[in-house]
Amino acid sequence: MTFWFQNRLRRAHPTNLLMMSYLAAIAVGTAALMMPGATVKGYIGVIDALFTATSAVCVTGLIVVDTGTYFTPLGQGVILFLIQIGGLGIMTISVALFQVIGKRVVFQQRMAMQEVFSHTPREDIYHLIRSVLYFTFAVETAGAVVLFVHWQPVYPVSEALYKAVFHSVSAFCNAGFSQFSNNLMADQASVMLNMTVCALIILGGIGFPVVYELYRGVVLRESSKVSIQTKSVIAASLGLILTGVLVILISEWNLLSSMGWWKGVLTAIFQSVTCRTAGFNTVDIASLNTATLLFMMFLMLVGASPGSCGGGMKTTTFTVLTAFSWSRLMRYKCVNLFGKTVPEDTVTKSISVLVFSLAAICVAVFLILFIDPDHGGRVQGNRQFLSFLFETVSAFGTVGLSMGITSMLTPAGKLVIVGLMIVGRVGVPAFTYIVAGGEATKGVRYAEENMMIG
Amino acid sequence: MTFWFQNRLRRAHPTNLLMMSYLAAIAVGTAALMMPGATVKGYIGVIDALFTATSAVCVTGLIVVDTGTYFTPLGQGVILFLIQIGGLGIMTISVALFQVIGKRVVFQQRMAMQEVFSHTPREDIYHLIRSVLYFTFAVETAGAVVLFVHWQPVYPVSEALYKAVFHSVSAFCNAGFSQFSNNLMADQASVMLNMTVCALIILGGIGFPVVYELYRGVVLRESSKVSIQTKSVIAASLGLILTGVLVILISEWNLLSSMGWWKGVLTAIFQSVTCRTAGFNTVDIASLNTATLLFMMFLMLVGASPGSCGGGMKTTTFTVLTAFSWSRLMRYKCVNLFGKTVPEDTVTKSISVLVFSLAAICVAVFLILFIDPDHGGRVQGNRQFLSFLFETVSAFGTVGLSMGITSMLTPAGKLVIVGLMIVGRVGVPAFTYIVAGGEATKGVRYAEENMMIG
Ligand SMILES: [K+]
Ligand SMILES: [K+]
């Protein structure tokens, strides 16, 4: 039996392993949250436990019950652990465990990892994993120290420490879970908290490959060549953050100017950074203008950078799609970025990710509304469709921002969101792997025949 | 001066000619609608006149004033004329005019026409245009006769005749303009009207190339080969209509079952057919469920078939995108349809049209909401974002269905919709032409470098 299982595991497709790992973590997490000691009341419904566990493992941050008051410190610890596992990626963790206990990594798992670090195939995979772990814990510790200093005057030492660790991990993993009922709105005006959380989000969301390359190039001066991946990630991140700040500032001028100009700018910066894909908030999302929310949905859809804790379509996909559109408009024969040509296959991959993402979001919104024509049963109010669309994009991009309808969803609606969170977290890389992981050699080539388009 | 102008015209790019023709028709139409005799009050604001003229020329059917009561019969005649011009395509008309008055078609115009009928490049362009005109007037006459028989018992002869001609042309051109204040809701239960209008819409929206091929193949038995374009159009049209009927029936079961089953089914069929891109309605659109409206937006986006009066992304684009997604999922090396391989360029064209369409719609919604953060100024109610999104998709797909907010838009909002109607009507073919009209030979090919996607 054990042999049979090991055999199956060895032959399993990397994407299946990835998917199974996540599902297993969600199942264990659901069970752990249902322990009587995890909740203050000693009880949580299975769908709410499943929702919370999925949201934590997928580092989404959507919540159906208030993390700080519904769960005991133990329950919050379970969530923290799930976030950390989910953020680092179960594959990374499991490879690291193999490494720690001295066993050889099975070949299939090596393959999946090399897919993750495909840009540096010559590097030793163990070395990379170790670097990921060192980097993660170093940044999280630094973040926790600053946050501890920030909260230490307000809370008892142990509580301040727990909050500091929880929020540092949650921010670095781009999870967006908070122990405060109104997320980070109470600290809206704190420059220290805003900047620390922003730094954690950016370091956690920019992707380890970029950090690694910059470290080797700038600190160690080992290499002066910067890959187009790093250039794309930095250009897209900077561009999206700045555009976001501008749009939010103009669109929410009434709200932000009433705060005083530097608090307003701070809030705009924070909300722009957190939108792709951390999901903290220092303002009430439901109170924002529709135009702002629409632009935030765009940011949520683009998401973080590849090889990071964040979700969404990824900044590189966005860069390639932009370069593709430009090349078609200019009738260029290939898609170029920073003086390099992007391979045809990579362009196709990006387009597939776009089509897949849009299809997943549309199907999910349609399902939620179709299952329950009364619009989620209990959700009324004047922007219900927008609330559902926002919720769905947020779940797919593993962002976790919400206009406040999550807990009002029907059980069926919650299950759709659970599915979408998994699709957004595991589906995108799995889909990318399936779509263009190997060479497309199957299928027949027939005689060509043209059609009219558009 | 005349010589200079002729010279410019001869050297103009076909897409520029297309765009200029439409803009000229809109300008003339706006002026005509502002004639004192065109409106009952003798006056219409320039923005409303521009909106109406654009909506007519682009065969969209969105209205800011009630066609039947705001305009005199003369004004309605102007609208009818603009619809007919827009539906046939100004290029077709102008080529036909050249033909009728015995002049040679200038080379540039021939090129643009051959783009339209690119699947049969060997056919004589004059012959094709003549066939288009014969076909159009034959179908419109037949439709008018049936509609006259239908309305003749209710209205005086001349009025019934005017209504019959107006609605026949409006239906065949997929315009969706009606002389009745509540569109076709009064005739909700009439099998004769429903079936006639559906037939007109389908014949006008399926595209002349398909009609021509079926005529040659089935009636004349000249050729037994059916192109993949015709197969795609028929498969997609049938599939979309049937899926639409099913979704509307299930999603609106409460409403439809209260009508009695055959009236309910008739209404579902009509609404499914009219959604892509005619834009008539026999039920109040604003009263439909959100899930229904979401699916209708999908249908509106897909739109009619190429070489027709209709708008949207076109059914062939949808078919190629579906085949593309399937081929990527199955890792096939090429995109196949009905035992033929779709050329790489055509696939890229489809993807470009998708990206272009989504970008245009998103930018337009964002602009409307951004210009006026109070959401169109006067639009309140519980589904305002949905109303705006629906309106925008409808304008882009030249559909003309509305949740009733068109006349409540601010002047700036109306201008955005005017722009979007033009982009939806002229922009899609122009964009397609620019993107892949000729061979992409410009630009440099650099060394390839890969990136992580998704
Ligand atoms: K998140
Ligand atoms: K229309």
Side-chain angles (χ1 to χ4, degrees):
Chain A
M1 180 67 198
T2 318
F3 178 74
W4 172 84
F5 185 73
Q6 282 181 340
N7 224 17
R8 295 274 314 185
L9 205 69
R10 207 163 293 140
R11 278 182 301 162
H13 195 280
T15 49
N16 292 348
L17 277 178
L18 185 72
M19 179 65 87
M20 286 185 325
S21 315
Y22 268 82
L23 294 182
I26 290 170
V28 172
T30 307
L33 289 175
M34 290 182 81
M35 295 183 305
T39 44
V40 174
K41 281 199 286 183
Y43 172 80
I44 184 171
V46 62
I47 288 187
D48 285 350
L50 173 66
F51 194 99
T52 308
T54 309
S55 182
V57 172
C58 298
V59 294
T60 309
L62 287 173
I63 47 171
V64 281
V65 296
D66 182 36
T67 313
T69 57
Y70 199 95
F71 293 104
T72 58
L74 175 67
Q76 294 169 25
V78 171
I79 292 176
L80 183 61
F81 182 72
L82 295 177
I83 291 173
Q84 185 71 88
I85 284 187
L88 278 171
I90 288 168
M91 291 308 285
T92 322
I93 287 277
S94 66
V95 172
L97 280 181
F98 268 102
Q99 159 80 346
V100 170
I101 57 174
K103 282 207 187 152
R104 294 276 313 151
V105 175
V106 293
F107 180 67
Q108 290 291 359
Q109 283 168 319
R110 275 251 287 287
M111 263 187 62
M113 283 310 304
Q114 254 150 9
E115 180 67 9
V116 174
F117 288 101
S118 61
H119 69 298
T120 49
R122 59 220 102 75
E123 292 296 335
D124 178 3
I125 201 77
Y126 298 123
H127 175 68
L128 274 173
I129 298 301
R130 222 168 23 223
S131 311
V132 171
L133 294 179
Y134 288 163
F135 171 66
T136 302
F137 294 122
V139 174
E140 285 178 354
T141 307
V145 169
V146 182
L147 291 177
F148 175 72
V149 172
H150 172 71
W151 278 319
Q152 175 267 326
V154 195
Y155 298 100
V157 172
S158 67
E159 212 182 317
L161 191 65
Y162 197 13
K163 283 190 178 6
V165 171
F166 190 96
H167 286 88
S168 182
V169 172
S170 180
F172 181 81
C173 292
N174 279 242
F177 273 91
S178 170
Q179 287 162 314
F180 304 108
S181 300
N182 55 0
N183 210 286
L184 301 178
M185 283 169 69
D187 280 308
Q188 192 182 56
S190 161
V191 178
M192 189 162 155
L193 179 119
N194 274 270
M195 288 299 114
T196 310
V197 173
C198 278
L200 287 166
I201 292 172
I202 292 174
L203 285 171
I206 205 159
F208 184 72
V210 170
V211 174
Y212 193 72
E213 196 173 312
L214 288 183
Y215 175 74
R216 279 188 34 174
V218 178
V219 181
L220 301 185
R221 299 196 174 279
E222 275 180 23
S223 146
S224 63
K225 181 190 159 290
V226 182
S227 67
I228 57 166
Q229 164 147 342
T230 294
K231 286 179 187 162
S232 301
V233 165
I234 293 174
S237 303
L238 266 180
L240 289 169
I241 289 174
L242 289 180
T243 315
V245 171
L246 262 180
V247 169
I248 293 172
L249 267 182
I250 299 174
S251 182
E252 296 297 331
W253 186 244
N254 283 343
L255 176 74
L256 297 178
S257 59
S258 70
M259 294 179 179
W261 77 267
W262 66 267
K263 270 180 68 177
V265 172
L266 193 67
T267 305
I269 293 175
F270 186 85
Q271 215 48 59
S272 176
V273 168
T274 196
C275 224
R276 291 177 21 251
T277 78
F280 288 107
N281 56 298
T282 57
V283 288
D284 178 19
I285 299 298
S287 74
L288 299 177
N289 283 327
T290 312
T292 318
L293 294 168
L294 195 64
F295 193 81
M296 285 170 83
M297 283 195 271
F298 163 71
L299 290 179
M300 296 199 290
L301 187 64
V302 173
S305 301
S308 79
C309 311
M313 273 171 30
K314 305 293 178 307
T315 48
T316 46
T317 310
F318 175 70
T319 324
V320 172
L321 284 174
T322 311
F324 165 77
S325 304
W326 182 250
S327 82
R328 296 314 305 174
L329 269 178
M330 303 309 285
R331 296 211 210 180
Y332 290 161
K333 56 175 175 279
C334 34
V335 177
N336 297 331
L337 265 180
F338 304 107
K340 297 276 175 190
T341 291
V342 181
E344 203 58 51
D345 247 26
T346 307
V347 176
T348 315
K349 229 191 236 189
S350 305
I351 294 162
S352 306
V353 169
L354 174 73
V355 173
F356 172 75
S357 306
L358 294 176
I361 289 169
C362 289
V363 168
V365 182
F366 180 75
L367 272 183
I368 294 179
L369 296 168
F370 192 71
I371 289 169
D372 189 348
D374 293 335
H375 320 308
R378 283 151 287 178
V379 180
Q380 296 300 329
N382 69 358
R383 294 197 283 177
Q384 31 177 322
F385 173 71
L386 183 64
S387 307
F388 282 107
L389 187 64
F390 195 86
E391 191 83 7
T392 318
V393 175
S394 177
F396 181 82
T398 70
V399 180
L401 292 176
S402 171
M403 288 173 68
I405 61 157
T406 323
S407 58
M408 286 180 270
L409 290 168
T410 57
K414 283 178 187 170
L415 290 179
V416 172
I417 295 288
V418 163
L420 193 63
M421 288 195 285
I422 298 173
V423 167
R425 184 61 182 159
V426 191
V428 174
F431 176 81
T432 318
Y433 189 89
I434 292 170
V435 154
E439 229 174 318
T441 46
K442 290 197 289 180
V444 189
R445 179 177 295 277
Y446 297 104
E448 289 202 347
E449 184 178 324
N450 213 342
M451 313 165 66
M452 292 166 79
I453 294 293
Chain B
M1 180 67 198
T2 317
F3 177 74
W4 172 85
F5 185 72
Q6 283 180 340
N7 223 19
R8 295 276 312 186
L9 205 67
R10 206 164 295 140
R11 279 181 301 161
H13 195 281
T15 48
N16 291 348
L17 276 179
L18 186 71
M19 180 65 87
M20 287 186 322
S21 314
Y22 268 82
L23 293 183
I26 290 169
V28 172
T30 307
L33 289 175
M34 290 182 81
M35 294 184 305
T39 44
V40 173
K41 281 198 287 184
Y43 172 81
I44 183 171
V46 62
I47 288 187
D48 286 349
L50 172 67
F51 193 99
T52 308
T54 308
S55 183
V57 171
C58 298
V59 293
T60 309
L62 287 172
I63 47 170
V64 282
V65 295
D66 181 38
T67 313
T69 57
Y70 200 95
F71 293 104
T72 58
L74 174 68
Q76 294 168 26
V78 170
I79 293 175
L80 182 63
F81 181 73
L82 294 176
I83 292 173
Q84 184 71 90
I85 283 186
L88 278 170
I90 288 168
M91 292 307 284
T92 322
I93 288 277
S94 66
V95 171
L97 281 180
F98 268 102
Q99 160 80 344
V100 171
I101 56 173
K103 282 205 185 154
R104 292 280 309 154
V105 174
V106 294
F107 180 66
Q108 292 290 358
Q109 282 167 321
R110 275 250 288 284
M111 264 189 60
M113 283 310 304
Q114 253 149 10
E115 181 67 8
V116 174
F117 289 99
S118 61
H119 70 298
T120 50
R122 59 220 102 75
E123 292 294 336
D124 179 3
I125 201 75
Y126 299 123
H127 173 68
L128 274 174
I129 297 302
R130 218 168 26 221
S131 310
V132 171
L133 294 179
Y134 287 162
F135 170 66
T136 302
F137 293 122
V139 174
E140 285 178 353
T141 307
V145 168
V146 181
L147 292 177
F148 176 71
V149 171
H150 172 72
W151 278 318
Q152 174 266 323
V154 195
Y155 298 100
V157 172
S158 68
E159 212 181 317
L161 190 66
Y162 196 15
K163 282 190 179 7
V165 171
F166 190 96
H167 285 87
S168 181
V169 172
S170 180
F172 180 83
C173 292
N174 279 244
F177 273 91
S178 170
Q179 287 162 314
F180 303 109
S181 299
N182 55 358
N183 210 289
L184 301 179
M185 283 168 68
D187 281 307
Q188 192 183 55
S190 160
V191 179
M192 188 161 157
L193 178 118
N194 273 269
M195 289 298 115
T196 309
V197 172
C198 278
L200 286 166
I201 291 172
I202 292 174
L203 285 171
I206 205 160
F208 185 72
V210 171
V211 173
Y212 192 72
E213 196 173 313
L214 289 183
Y215 175 75
R216 279 189 31 176
V218 179
V219 182
L220 301 186
R221 299 195 175 280
E222 274 180 23
S223 145
S224 62
K225 181 190 159 292
V226 182
S227 67
I228 57 167
Q229 164 147 339
T230 293
K231 287 179 186 162
S232 301
V233 165
I234 292 174
S237 302
L238 266 179
L240 289 168
I241 289 174
L242 290 180
T243 314
V245 171
L246 262 180
V247 168
I248 293 171
L249 267 182
I250 299 174
S251 182
E252 295 298 330
W253 185 244
N254 283 342
L255 176 74
L256 297 178
S257 60
S258 70
M259 293 178 180
W261 78 266
W262 67 267
K263 269 179 68 175
V265 172
L266 192 68
T267 306
I269 294 175
F270 187 84
Q271 214 49 59
S272 177
V273 168
T274 194
C275 226
R276 286 176 29 248
T277 78
F280 288 108
N281 57 298
T282 58
V283 287
D284 178 19
I285 298 299
S287 74
L288 299 177
N289 282 328
T290 311
T292 318
L293 294 168
L294 196 63
F295 194 81
M296 285 170 82
M297 282 195 272
F298 163 70
L299 290 179
M300 296 199 291
L301 188 62
V302 173
S305 301
S308 78
C309 311
M313 273 171 32
K314 304 294 178 304
T315 49
T316 46
T317 310
F318 174 70
T319 325
V320 172
L321 284 174
T322 311
F324 165 76
S325 304
W326 181 249
S327 80
R328 294 316 304 174
L329 269 177
M330 303 309 286
R331 294 210 211 181
Y332 290 161
K333 57 175 174 276
C334 32
V335 178
N336 297 332
L337 266 179
F338 305 105
K340 297 277 175 188
T341 291
V342 181
E344 203 58 51
D345 247 29
T346 306
V347 176
T348 314
K349 227 190 235 190
S350 304
I351 294 162
S352 307
V353 169
L354 174 73
V355 173
F356 173 76
S357 304
L358 294 176
I361 289 169
C362 289
V363 168
V365 181
F366 181 76
L367 273 183
I368 293 179
L369 296 167
F370 193 72
I371 289 169
D372 188 349
D374 294 334
H375 319 307
R378 284 150 287 177
V379 180
Q380 296 300 328
N382 71 356
R383 294 199 282 179
Q384 32 177 319
F385 174 69
L386 183 63
S387 307
F388 283 106
L389 188 62
F390 196 87
E391 190 84 8
T392 318
V393 175
S394 176
F396 181 80
T398 69
V399 179
L401 292 176
S402 171
M403 289 173 67
I405 62 158
T406 324
S407 59
M408 287 179 271
L409 289 168
T410 57
K414 284 179 187 171
L415 290 180
V416 172
I417 295 288
V418 163
L420 193 63
M421 290 195 283
I422 297 172
V423 167
R425 184 62 182 157
V426 191
V428 175
F431 176 82
T432 319
Y433 188 90
I434 292 169
V435 155
E439 229 172 318
T441 45
K442 290 198 288 182
V444 189
R445 180 177 293 279
Y446 296 105
E448 289 202 348
E449 184 178 324
N450 213 342
M451 312 167 67
M452 293 165 77
I453 293 294

Coordinates of all heavy atoms in Angstrom, one line a residue, chain A residues 376-416:
Chain A
G376 N -27.7 36.8 -3.8 CA -27.0 36.5 -2.6 C -28.0 36.4 -1.4 O -27.5 36.3 -0.3
G377 N -29.2 36.5 -1.7 CA -30.2 36.3 -0.6 C -30.4 37.5 0.3 O -31.4 38.2 0.3
R378 N -29.3 37.9 1.0 CA -29.4 38.9 2.0 C -28.8 40.2 1.6 O -28.7 41.2 2.3 CB -28.9 38.4 3.3 CG -29.8 37.5 4.0 CD -29.1 36.5 4.8 NE -28.4 35.5 4.0 CZ -27.6 34.5 4.5 NH1 -27.4 34.4 5.7 NH2 -27.0 33.7 3.7
V379 N -28.1 40.2 0.4 CA -27.4 41.4 0.0 C -28.3 42.4 -0.7 O -28.8 42.1 -1.8 CB -26.2 41.1 -0.9 CG1 -25.5 42.4 -1.2 CG2 -25.3 40.1 -0.2
Q380 N -28.6 43.5 -0.1 CA -29.3 44.5 -0.8 C -28.4 45.8 -0.8 O -27.2 45.6 -0.6 CB -30.7 44.8 -0.2 CG -31.6 43.6 -0.3 CD -31.9 43.2 -1.7 OE1 -31.9 44.0 -2.7 NE2 -32.1 41.9 -1.9
G381 N -28.9 46.9 -1.1 CA -28.1 48.1 -1.1 C -27.9 48.5 -2.5 O -28.2 47.7 -3.5
N382 N -27.3 49.7 -2.8 CA -27.4 50.2 -4.1 C -26.3 49.9 -5.1 O -26.3 50.4 -6.2 CB -27.6 51.8 -4.0 CG -26.3 52.4 -3.5 OD1 -25.3 51.7 -3.2 ND2 -26.3 53.7 -3.4
R383 N -25.4 49.0 -4.6 CA -24.3 48.7 -5.6 C -24.1 47.2 -5.6 O -23.0 46.7 -5.6 CB -23.1 49.5 -5.3 CG -23.3 51.0 -5.6 CD -22.0 51.7 -5.7 NE -21.3 51.9 -4.4 CZ -20.2 52.5 -4.3 NH1 -19.5 52.9 -5.3 NH2 -19.6 52.6 -3.1
Q384 N -25.2 46.4 -5.6 CA -25.0 45.0 -5.3 C -24.2 44.3 -6.4 O -23.3 43.5 -6.1 CB -26.3 44.3 -5.1 CG -27.5 44.9 -5.9 CD -28.7 44.1 -5.7 OE1 -28.7 42.9 -5.7 NE2 -29.8 44.8 -5.6
F385 N -24.5 44.6 -7.7 CA -23.7 43.9 -8.8 C -22.2 44.2 -8.7 O -21.4 43.3 -8.8 CB -24.2 44.3 -10.1 CG -23.4 43.7 -11.2 CD1 -23.4 42.3 -11.5 CD2 -22.5 44.5 -12.0 CE1 -22.6 41.8 -12.5 CE2 -21.7 44.0 -13.0 CZ -21.8 42.6 -13.2
L386 N -21.9 45.5 -8.4 CA -20.6 45.9 -8.3 C -19.9 45.2 -7.1 O -18.8 44.7 -7.2 CB -20.5 47.4 -8.0 CG -19.1 48.0 -7.9 CD1 -18.3 47.9 -9.2 CD2 -19.2 49.5 -7.5
S387 N -20.7 45.0 -6.0 CA -20.1 44.3 -4.8 C -19.8 42.9 -5.2 O -18.7 42.4 -4.8 CB -21.2 44.3 -3.7 OG -21.6 45.5 -3.4
F388 N -20.6 42.2 -6.0 CA -20.3 40.8 -6.3 C -19.1 40.7 -7.3 O -18.3 39.9 -7.1 CB -21.6 40.2 -7.0 CG -22.6 39.8 -5.9 CD1 -23.8 40.5 -5.8 CD2 -22.4 38.7 -5.1 CE1 -24.7 40.2 -4.8 CE2 -23.3 38.3 -4.2 CZ -24.5 39.1 -4.0
L389 N -19.1 41.6 -8.3 CA -18.0 41.6 -9.2 C -16.7 41.9 -8.5 O -15.7 41.2 -8.7 CB -18.2 42.7 -10.3 CG -17.3 42.7 -11.4 CD1 -17.3 41.4 -12.2 CD2 -17.5 43.9 -12.4
F390 N -16.7 42.9 -7.6 CA -15.5 43.2 -6.8 C -15.1 42.0 -6.0 O -13.9 41.7 -5.9 CB -15.9 44.4 -5.9 CG -14.7 45.1 -5.3 CD1 -14.0 46.1 -6.1 CD2 -14.2 44.8 -4.1 CE1 -12.9 46.8 -5.6 CE2 -13.1 45.5 -3.6 CZ -12.4 46.5 -4.3
E391 N -16.0 41.4 -5.3 CA -15.7 40.2 -4.5 C -15.1 39.1 -5.3 O -14.1 38.5 -4.9 CB -17.0 39.7 -3.9 CG -16.9 38.7 -2.8 CD -16.7 39.4 -1.4 OE1 -16.7 40.6 -1.3 OE2 -16.4 38.6 -0.5
T392 N -15.6 38.9 -6.5 CA -15.1 37.8 -7.3 C -13.7 38.1 -7.8 O -12.8 37.2 -7.8 CB -16.1 37.6 -8.5 OG1 -17.4 37.7 -8.0 CG2 -15.8 36.3 -9.2
V393 N -13.5 39.3 -8.3 CA -12.1 39.7 -8.8 C -11.2 39.6 -7.7 O -10.0 39.1 -7.8 CB -12.2 41.1 -9.4 CG1 -10.7 41.6 -9.8 CG2 -13.1 41.2 -10.6
S394 N -11.6 40.0 -6.5 CA -10.7 40.0 -5.3 C -10.4 38.6 -4.9 O -9.2 38.3 -4.6 CB -11.5 40.7 -4.1 OG -10.8 40.6 -2.9
A395 N -11.3 37.7 -5.0 CA -11.1 36.3 -4.7 C -10.1 35.7 -5.7 O -9.2 35.0 -5.3 CB -12.4 35.5 -4.7
F396 N -10.4 35.9 -7.0 CA -9.5 35.4 -8.0 C -8.1 35.9 -7.9 O -7.1 35.1 -8.0 CB -10.1 35.7 -9.4 CG -9.2 35.1 -10.5 CD1 -9.3 33.8 -10.9 CD2 -8.2 35.9 -11.1 CE1 -8.5 33.3 -11.9 CE2 -7.4 35.4 -12.1 CZ -7.6 34.0 -12.5
G397 N -7.9 37.2 -7.6 CA -6.6 37.8 -7.5 C -6.0 37.5 -6.1 O -4.9 38.1 -5.9
T398 N -6.6 36.7 -5.3 CA -6.2 36.5 -3.9 C -5.9 37.8 -3.2 O -4.8 37.9 -2.6 CB -5.0 35.5 -3.8 OG1 -3.8 36.1 -4.3 CG2 -5.3 34.2 -4.6
V399 N -6.7 38.8 -3.4 CA -6.5 40.1 -2.8 C -7.2 40.2 -1.4 O -6.5 40.5 -0.4 CB -7.1 41.2 -3.7 CG1 -6.8 42.6 -3.1 CG2 -6.5 41.1 -5.1
G400 N -8.5 39.9 -1.4 CA -9.1 40.0 -0.1 C -9.8 41.3 0.3 O -10.4 41.4 1.3
L401 N -9.7 42.3 -0.6 CA -10.5 43.5 -0.4 C -12.0 43.1 -0.7 O -12.3 42.3 -1.5 CB -10.1 44.6 -1.3 CG -8.7 45.2 -1.1 CD1 -8.4 46.2 -2.1 CD2 -8.6 45.8 0.3
S402 N -12.9 43.8 0.1 CA -14.3 43.4 -0.1 C -15.1 44.7 0.2 O -14.8 45.6 0.9 CB -14.7 42.3 0.9 OG -16.1 42.2 0.8
M403 N -16.3 44.8 -0.5 CA -17.2 45.9 -0.2 C -18.1 45.5 0.9 O -19.1 46.1 1.2 CB -18.0 46.2 -1.5 CG -17.1 47.0 -2.5 SD -18.0 47.2 -4.1 CE -19.2 48.4 -3.6
G404 N -17.8 44.4 1.6 CA -18.5 44.0 2.8 C -19.6 43.0 2.7 O -20.4 42.9 3.6
I405 N -19.6 42.2 1.6 CA -20.7 41.3 1.4 C -20.3 39.9 1.7 O -21.2 39.0 1.7 CB -21.3 41.3 0.0 CG1 -20.2 41.0 -1.0 CG2 -21.8 42.7 -0.3 CD1 -20.7 40.4 -2.3
T406 N -19.0 39.6 2.0 CA -18.6 38.2 2.1 C -19.4 37.4 3.1 O -19.9 36.3 2.8 CB -17.1 38.2 2.6 OG1 -16.4 39.3 2.0 CG2 -16.4 36.9 2.2
S407 N -19.7 37.9 4.3 CA -20.4 37.1 5.3 C -21.9 37.0 5.0 O -22.6 36.2 5.5 CB -20.2 37.8 6.7 OG -20.7 39.1 6.6
M408 N -22.3 37.9 4.0 CA -23.7 37.8 3.6 C -24.0 36.8 2.5 O -25.2 36.7 2.1 CB -24.2 39.2 3.3 CG -24.4 40.1 4.5 SD -25.0 41.7 4.1 CE -23.4 42.6 3.8
L409 N -23.0 36.2 1.9 CA -23.2 35.3 0.8 C -24.0 34.1 1.3 O -23.9 33.7 2.5 CB -21.8 34.8 0.3 CG -21.0 35.8 -0.5 CD1 -19.6 35.3 -0.7 CD2 -21.6 36.1 -1.8
T410 N -24.7 33.5 0.4 CA -25.4 32.2 0.8 C -24.3 31.1 0.8 O -23.2 31.3 0.3 CB -26.4 31.8 -0.3 OG1 -25.7 31.8 -1.6 CG2 -27.5 32.8 -0.4
P411 N -24.6 29.9 1.5 CA -23.6 28.9 1.5 C -23.1 28.5 0.1 O -21.9 28.3 -0.1 CB -24.4 27.7 2.1 CG -25.4 28.4 3.0 CD -25.8 29.6 2.3
A412 N -24.1 28.4 -0.9 CA -23.6 28.1 -2.3 C -22.7 29.2 -2.8 O -21.7 28.9 -3.4 CB -24.8 28.0 -3.2
G413 N -23.0 30.5 -2.5 CA -22.2 31.6 -2.9 C -20.8 31.5 -2.3 O -19.8 31.7 -3.0
K414 N -20.7 31.1 -1.0 CA -19.4 30.9 -0.3 C -18.6 29.9 -1.0 O -17.4 30.0 -1.2 CB -19.7 30.6 1.2 CG -20.1 31.8 2.0 CD -20.3 31.4 3.4 CE -20.9 32.6 4.2 NZ -21.3 32.2 5.6
L415 N -19.3 28.8 -1.4 CA -18.6 27.6 -2.0 C -18.0 28.1 -3.4 O -16.9 27.7 -3.7 CB -19.5 26.4 -2.1 CG -19.8 25.7 -0.8 CD1 -20.7 24.5 -1.0 CD2 -18.5 25.3 -0.1
V416 N -18.8 28.9 -4.1 CA -18.2 29.4 -5.4 C -17.0 30.2 -5.1 O -16.0 30.1 -5.9 CB -19.3 30.2 -6.1 CG1 -18.7 30.9 -7.3 CG2 -20.5 29.4 -6.5

